[in-house]
Amino acid sequence: MDDAEIVRRLFFSLISALCIVFIASVFIGPQNKAKWFKLRDMRKGFWFFNRRGFLGESLRFGWPRTKEGFGAAGAIVAAVALTTFIIFII
């Protein structure tokens, strides 16, 4: 596998991860996300690393704080890992 192929597969992995997180965000819904996840506080820490861009504002995930949040975050991580594995195997 040459360098161009690796870059192409990494790009497809990134796009698939964003799609998975967006689909999970739609399925979970804003009410459950508010209950299950805690958004980052803009006042704490270095402001550059805490600010949300256009993707963070639309997806609105933060730190999980309930068992449902940890389950949803684990499922998202597992789905992203599986798709990345499939992309690099095929």
Side-chain angles (χ1 to χ4, degrees), residues 35-51:
K35 289 189 293 189
W36 298 351
F37 295 94
K38 179 184 178 197
L39 295 177
R40 294 176 295 244
D41 191 8
M42 295 290 284
R43 297 176 303 223
K44 294 181 181 175
F46 189 54
W47 68 272
F48 180 76
F49 294 115
N50 285 333
R51 61 174 244 227

Side-chain angles (χ1 to χ4, degrees), residues 25-36:
S25 175
V26 169
F27 280 133
I28 291 173
Q31 292 85 10
N32 288 335
K33 283 192 287 187
K35 289 189 293 189
W36 298 351

